Amino acid sequence: MSHISTTTTENRLREEIAEIGRAFRLLGMAPGTSGNISAKLDDGWLMTPTNASLGALDPAAISKLDWDGNLLAGEPPTKESFLHRAFYDQRPDTGGIIHLHATHSAAVSCLNGLDERSCLPPITPYFVMRVGRLPLIPYYRPGDPALGDAIREHAKTHGAVLLANHGPVVAGKTLEAARNAIEELEETAKLYLLLRQHDVRTLGEAEIDELRQAFGAHW
């Protein structure tokens, strides 16, 4: 019975990853073969394949890995799997992780003078509740394993990071939570870019503290 349940859960998550990938492509958040999505299983984790378009994922081809990184099923995984592993290692309650090169958040990642403690200010309560502080990870070349170590330094205390000149990585207790958070992050990045030349009212500490108490926000 447990094997049947595990298989059912895995198949459901494969379908969910493919559906989320299609949605991101339609929203313009996953150009080309950029971005990757993962989900945790009881016996390993699912990871989108290398050089795969998120808009055209075959659920059966999605990689399944054990916690030693061995491929158990599907096609070879993205070379950025270690970005996800860094979060899984540090946040045991993580159920899903998403990394995108979405336009507005990637644009913010290319700006000079960002606050390294949080690249985006508390513009809206929804950003504070769903994402929280967004620390900046310095630039590393794509595929550099040292990037995973840099993420680990922040992953224990933050559910999302922004990779310089690259894009965001967001973890959630479920895959759906990660999806909602990264969409909120992208919308906040868009607002931030639209408002940069204006005198912006951000949430004050008392307002953020109210969100902590009412919704368990982490800021």
Side-chain angles (χ1 to χ4, degrees):
M1 180 65 71
S2 61
H3 173 71
I4 294 173
S5 177
T6 298
T7 301
T8 300
T9 298
E10 180 177 327
N11 289 341
R12 176 182 58 78
L13 284 172
R14 286 178 177 276
E15 293 288 346
E16 186 177 358
I17 288 171
E19 187 277 326
I20 288 174
R22 287 191 296 271
F24 284 151
R25 187 58 179 265
L26 289 173
L27 289 169
M29 295 174 65
T33 59
S34 67
N36 29 77
I37 303 170
S38 71
K40 185 161 67 174
L41 300 167
D42 289 339
D43 59 344
W45 50 308
L46 299 175
M47 183 80 250
T48 47
T50 186
N51 294 320
S53 167
L54 294 188
L57 291 171
D58 174 3
I62 291 172
S63 314
K64 181 178 181 180
L65 307 171
D66 66 18
W67 290 110
D68 292 321
N70 299 309
L71 182 64
L72 303 177
E75 298 179 0
T78 172
K79 67 178 181 297
E80 293 186 315
S81 296
F82 65 90
L83 305 181
H84 299 244
R85 182 62 186 267
F87 269 105
Y88 286 125
D89 286 348
Q90 295 298 314
R91 300 178 74 86
D93 63 344
T94 295
I97 297 169
I98 300 172
H99 166 53
L100 295 177
H101 300 174
T103 302
H104 298 94
S105 47
V108 170
S109 80
C110 298
L111 295 174
N112 279 320
L114 292 172
D115 183 347
E116 294 184 359
R117 297 169 301 173
S118 185
C119 301
L120 293 171
I123 297 173
T124 71
Y126 308 101
F127 175 70
V128 173
M129 290 186 292
R130 293 176 183 164
V131 182
R133 289 186 182 272
L134 181 69
L136 179 68
I137 304 296
Y139 175 78
Y140 292 83
R141 66 163 175 78
D144 186 343
L147 179 54
D149 296 332
I151 290 175
R152 280 186 178 84
E153 293 182 14
H154 295 279
K156 197 165 188 176
T157 52
H158 298 83
V161 296
L162 188 65
L163 314 180
N165 300 87
H166 194 158
V169 186
V170 176
K173 289 187 177 181
T174 64
L175 191 50
E176 181 180 11
R179 172 187 184 173
N180 292 337
I182 205 164
E183 288 186 9
E184 191 66 47
L185 192 161
E186 174 66 2
E187 183 64 18
T188 304
K190 182 178 180 180
L191 290 173
Y192 176 72
L193 294 170
L194 287 170
L195 294 169
R196 286 195 81 210
Q197 305 306 317
H198 299 273
D199 185 12
V200 178
R201 180 196 182 278
T202 59
L203 299 184
E205 187 56 38
E207 293 160 324
I208 293 173
D209 191 54
E210 187 178 24
L211 295 173
R212 291 191 188 101
Q213 295 180 37
F215 302 105
H218 298 282
W219 186 265

